[in-house]
Amino acid sequence: MIARTVLTLAVLTLQEALRRRVLRSLVVMTVVLLSLSAWGFYRLDSEFGTLTSGEARLAASTVLNLVMFGLSLIAALGTAFLAGPTLAGEIESGIALAVMTRPVRRSAVLLGKWLGLVAFGSGFVIVAGLGQLLIVRITVGYWPPQPATGLALLAAQTTVLLTLGLLLSTVISPMASGIVAVGLFGATWIAGVVGMVGEAFGNDGMAGVGTVSRMLLPTDGLWRGAMHAFQHPGLSQFPAFEDSPFLSMAPLTATYLAWAALWVAVVLGLSALAFQRRDL
Amino acid sequence: MSTDPTVLAEAAAPDAERLLADLPPTPAVWCSGLRKRYRKQTAVDDVSFTVGRGEVLGLLGPNGAGKTSVIKILLGLVRPDAGEVLLLGRPGTDPQARARVGYLPELFRYQPWLTAAEVLALHVRLAGAAVPAREQRESLALVGLTDRAGDRVGGFSKGMQQRLGLAVALVARPELVLLDEPTSALDPIGRADVRDLLLSLKERRVAVLLNSHLIGEVERVCDRVVILDKGRVAASGTLAELLGQRELRLRLDEVSAEAEARLAAAGQLTHSGDSYTVTLPADQSATMVPDLVAELVRLGVRVHAVEPARISLEERLLDILRAGTGGDR
Ligand SMILES: Nc1ncnc2c1ncn2[C@@H]1O[C@H](COP(=O)(O)OP(=O)(O)OP(=O)(O)O)[C@@H](O)[C@H]1O
Ligand SMILES: [Mg+2]
């Protein structure tokens, strides 16, 4: 009964994502980014033919992470602007009225929508990310050490953000929820960079900013884990690169992953609670 | 003494089942003491009523009376501050209570990226009903959307969306249908279609709660009406009860005692000079008036005028609402 509702709504949400204009803009942005990066990597290879292989790998790793950041940003924008309208927009327009008067639990509807969004966001990140990895492999011959882990972490980052978007959309308007979610995503990334700089200069206060923000919204922490999975393992031996925002020196701990999972569960639970109490 | 309680329970179970089956069917809607405030605005204030199985109940009242709020509370869309709801015998808080309920919202919008046929399929799935595709197509045909079944809802006109909404409300074989202004966007033919649809629902013993500002519509199809005003039930009852009994006004000459007795037998009689007024019972037969006149003529009465009188629901509604405002000030 509940499983059927969840599944039906997941399929419906996926269908919505595929049929709405969000997908088209997402595809256009991704294709633009991937072609730009293909061109960039091609130039990198031909211009810097004189580099030692170690230097070339460092360059490739850094640029790959930079492009992956672009991808995760696109995924964040796409899912945040999909997650908001899918709930708040439907409440505002009245689409929710007919659906919610079927023999369904509100929490099951929410869970179904979340599953659909997760499937869509993860699907996008994995397809586009894999495309990017292949581009790097073809142009400069670099293949990351843990591609599957990296892509999974990117998908997890997207999941965290869209869960936040879903919570926001149960309490504020659809557009605002998208904007706030992307804003928070950007803010934690910047806080993460601030934290790194703080660590590099031994400034505990600044380092604390990064740590705290990574706990409050796990997008940046997961992103750092993904970067670590993509970059060349030899890079950790160069302490000089420690303060680059597009390199990560340490892999994710299992504790942090568990925290991220708990975070998603709690935020989803809060959304369900807020949705349950809301008058439609 | 060793009476095993489980044995006793087993023996009692079939009895309990029979008892339940013998019980009269629970009403389609039962609600009691509903209240809802939006900040300072009291939208619904102590509303109670029932809709019997197969009954068509009209919900009337001016703008802002709380009609839509009541319907939303019944459906669990809005949480009441107080009060209880039973739908088809189940508490309104249980989602399963809505398994056989159809609803057309006042604000009707359906997924614009789906086709009309897909919207119906979605609702059938969510309702957990096994409605074959052929029957779903019939629902679309019922509201005149057969040609547009494969078109995206986003491209539909307002009236077409409302027609689709009617099909959605009816597709999962409901036993109770709640319609919030079902003809607000419809053309005159569409309105006539809805009237026929309501009558066919009544024939199939589907209970209907109809909220409409078109009183003619309500008067023609509803068994009973509830009139809301400022969130309260201002009046309720069957049409006959609300509209009062019919009257027959006559102008007569040469009325014998026998003729007067005959008039009094038809209903409560008052007369002044040559004008006689008979208040007829609500359940009078159709031939009653001509029978009465024929008999009066046979008794030698000279009949100058016979005038059946009945106030319309509209007049009665305006009376009730004006009395309500007058009393408040
Ligand atoms: N979401 C809401 N927020 C605040 N007030 C509301 C809300 N919904 C309804 N109200 C108030 O509740 C009262 C009843 O509104 P309701 O929509 O139930 O009226 P109605 O009888 O359906 O009117 P109409 O005939 O115009 O459709 C109104 O005073 C309205 O302002
Ligand atoms: Mg209304």
Side-chain angles (χ1 to χ4, degrees), chain B residues 67-68 106 180-181 211:
Chain B
K67 306 180 293 294
T68 299
E106 183 178 38
D180 200 345
E181 302 192 29
N211 165 20

mmCIF file with all atom_site columns, all heavy atoms in Angstrom, chain B residues 67-68 106 180-181 211, ligand 2:
data_model
loop_
_atom_site.group_PDB
_atom_site.id
_atom_site.type_symbol
_atom_site.label_atom_id
_atom_site.label_alt_id
_atom_site.label_comp_id
_atom_site.label_asym_id
_atom_site.label_entity_id
_atom_site.label_seq_id
_atom_site.pdbx_PDB_ins_code
_atom_site.Cartn_x
_atom_site.Cartn_y
_atom_site.Cartn_z
_atom_site.occupancy
_atom_site.B_iso_or_equiv
_atom_site.pdbx_formal_charge
_atom_site.auth_seq_id
_atom_site.auth_comp_id
_atom_site.auth_asym_id
_atom_site.auth_atom_id
_atom_site.pdbx_PDB_model_num
ATOM   1  N  N   . LYS B 1 67  ? -17.339 27.124 2.951  1.00 0.00 ? 67  LYS B N   1
ATOM   2  C  CA  . LYS B 1 67  ? -17.715 25.887 2.254  1.00 0.00 ? 67  LYS B CA  1
ATOM   3  C  C   . LYS B 1 67  ? -16.483 25.086 1.841  1.00 0.00 ? 67  LYS B C   1
ATOM   4  O  O   . LYS B 1 67  ? -16.384 23.888 2.113  1.00 0.00 ? 67  LYS B O   1
ATOM   5  C  CB  . LYS B 1 67  ? -18.561 26.227 1.010  1.00 0.00 ? 67  LYS B CB  1
ATOM   6  C  CG  . LYS B 1 67  ? -19.760 27.098 1.309  1.00 0.00 ? 67  LYS B CG  1
ATOM   7  C  CD  . LYS B 1 67  ? -20.555 27.417 0.064  1.00 0.00 ? 67  LYS B CD  1
ATOM   8  C  CE  . LYS B 1 67  ? -19.820 28.301 -0.927 1.00 0.00 ? 67  LYS B CE  1
ATOM   9  N  NZ  . LYS B 1 67  ? -19.545 29.668 -0.449 1.00 0.00 ? 67  LYS B NZ  1
ATOM   10 N  N   . THR B 1 68  ? -15.552 25.777 1.172  1.00 0.00 ? 68  THR B N   1
ATOM   11 C  CA  . THR B 1 68  ? -14.342 25.090 0.727  1.00 0.00 ? 68  THR B CA  1
ATOM   12 C  C   . THR B 1 68  ? -13.544 24.587 1.931  1.00 0.00 ? 68  THR B C   1
ATOM   13 O  O   . THR B 1 68  ? -13.015 23.476 1.909  1.00 0.00 ? 68  THR B O   1
ATOM   14 C  CB  . THR B 1 68  ? -13.490 26.047 -0.127 1.00 0.00 ? 68  THR B CB  1
ATOM   15 O  OG1 . THR B 1 68  ? -14.267 26.435 -1.258 1.00 0.00 ? 68  THR B OG1 1
ATOM   16 C  CG2 . THR B 1 68  ? -12.215 25.394 -0.591 1.00 0.00 ? 68  THR B CG2 1
ATOM   17 N  N   . GLU B 1 106 ? -11.895 23.209 -5.806 1.00 0.00 ? 106 GLU B N   1
ATOM   18 C  CA  . GLU B 1 106 ? -12.309 24.503 -6.341 1.00 0.00 ? 106 GLU B CA  1
ATOM   19 C  C   . GLU B 1 106 ? -11.212 25.016 -7.267 1.00 0.00 ? 106 GLU B C   1
ATOM   20 O  O   . GLU B 1 106 ? -11.470 25.554 -8.335 1.00 0.00 ? 106 GLU B O   1
ATOM   21 C  CB  . GLU B 1 106 ? -12.501 25.460 -5.152 1.00 0.00 ? 106 GLU B CB  1
ATOM   22 C  CG  . GLU B 1 106 ? -12.989 26.826 -5.497 1.00 0.00 ? 106 GLU B CG  1
ATOM   23 C  CD  . GLU B 1 106 ? -13.182 27.659 -4.236 1.00 0.00 ? 106 GLU B CD  1
ATOM   24 O  OE1 . GLU B 1 106 ? -12.375 27.541 -3.300 1.00 0.00 ? 106 GLU B OE1 1
ATOM   25 O  OE2 . GLU B 1 106 ? -14.154 28.425 -4.182 1.00 0.00 ? 106 GLU B OE2 1
ATOM   26 N  N   . ASP B 1 180 ? -16.455 20.733 -5.503 1.00 0.00 ? 180 ASP B N   1
ATOM   27 C  CA  . ASP B 1 180 ? -16.407 22.123 -5.063 1.00 0.00 ? 180 ASP B CA  1
ATOM   28 C  C   . ASP B 1 180 ? -16.575 23.019 -6.285 1.00 0.00 ? 180 ASP B C   1
ATOM   29 O  O   . ASP B 1 180 ? -15.651 23.199 -7.053 1.00 0.00 ? 180 ASP B O   1
ATOM   30 C  CB  . ASP B 1 180 ? -15.074 22.394 -4.348 1.00 0.00 ? 180 ASP B CB  1
ATOM   31 C  CG  . ASP B 1 180 ? -15.127 23.623 -3.458 1.00 0.00 ? 180 ASP B CG  1
ATOM   32 O  OD1 . ASP B 1 180 ? -16.072 24.423 -3.612 1.00 0.00 ? 180 ASP B OD1 1
ATOM   33 O  OD2 . ASP B 1 180 ? -14.231 23.781 -2.617 1.00 0.00 ? 180 ASP B OD2 1
ATOM   34 N  N   . GLU B 1 181 ? -17.746 23.545 -6.457 1.00 0.00 ? 181 GLU B N   1
ATOM   35 C  CA  . GLU B 1 181 ? -18.099 24.371 -7.614 1.00 0.00 ? 181 GLU B CA  1
ATOM   36 C  C   . GLU B 1 181 ? -17.696 23.690 -8.922 1.00 0.00 ? 181 GLU B C   1
ATOM   37 O  O   . GLU B 1 181 ? -16.832 24.186 -9.641 1.00 0.00 ? 181 GLU B O   1
ATOM   38 C  CB  . GLU B 1 181 ? -17.462 25.753 -7.486 1.00 0.00 ? 181 GLU B CB  1
ATOM   39 C  CG  . GLU B 1 181 ? -17.905 26.441 -6.208 1.00 0.00 ? 181 GLU B CG  1
ATOM   40 C  CD  . GLU B 1 181 ? -17.528 27.913 -6.179 1.00 0.00 ? 181 GLU B CD  1
ATOM   41 O  OE1 . GLU B 1 181 ? -17.454 28.503 -7.262 1.00 0.00 ? 181 GLU B OE1 1
ATOM   42 O  OE2 . GLU B 1 181 ? -17.340 28.449 -5.087 1.00 0.00 ? 181 GLU B OE2 1
ATOM   43 N  N   . ASN B 1 211 ? -20.982 21.672 -3.718 1.00 0.00 ? 211 ASN B N   1
ATOM   44 C  CA  . ASN B 1 211 ? -20.926 23.085 -3.348 1.00 0.00 ? 211 ASN B CA  1
ATOM   45 C  C   . ASN B 1 211 ? -21.068 23.880 -4.625 1.00 0.00 ? 211 ASN B C   1
ATOM   46 O  O   . ASN B 1 211 ? -20.300 23.698 -5.559 1.00 0.00 ? 211 ASN B O   1
ATOM   47 C  CB  . ASN B 1 211 ? -19.581 23.368 -2.673 1.00 0.00 ? 211 ASN B CB  1
ATOM   48 C  CG  . ASN B 1 211 ? -19.289 24.852 -2.579 1.00 0.00 ? 211 ASN B CG  1
ATOM   49 O  OD1 . ASN B 1 211 ? -20.194 25.688 -2.659 1.00 0.00 ? 211 ASN B OD1 1
ATOM   50 N  ND2 . ASN B 1 211 ? -18.033 25.186 -2.415 1.00 0.00 ? 211 ASN B ND2 1
HETATM 51 MG MG  . MG  C 2 .   ? -15.005 28.024 -1.996 1.00 0.00 ? 2   MG  C MG  1
#
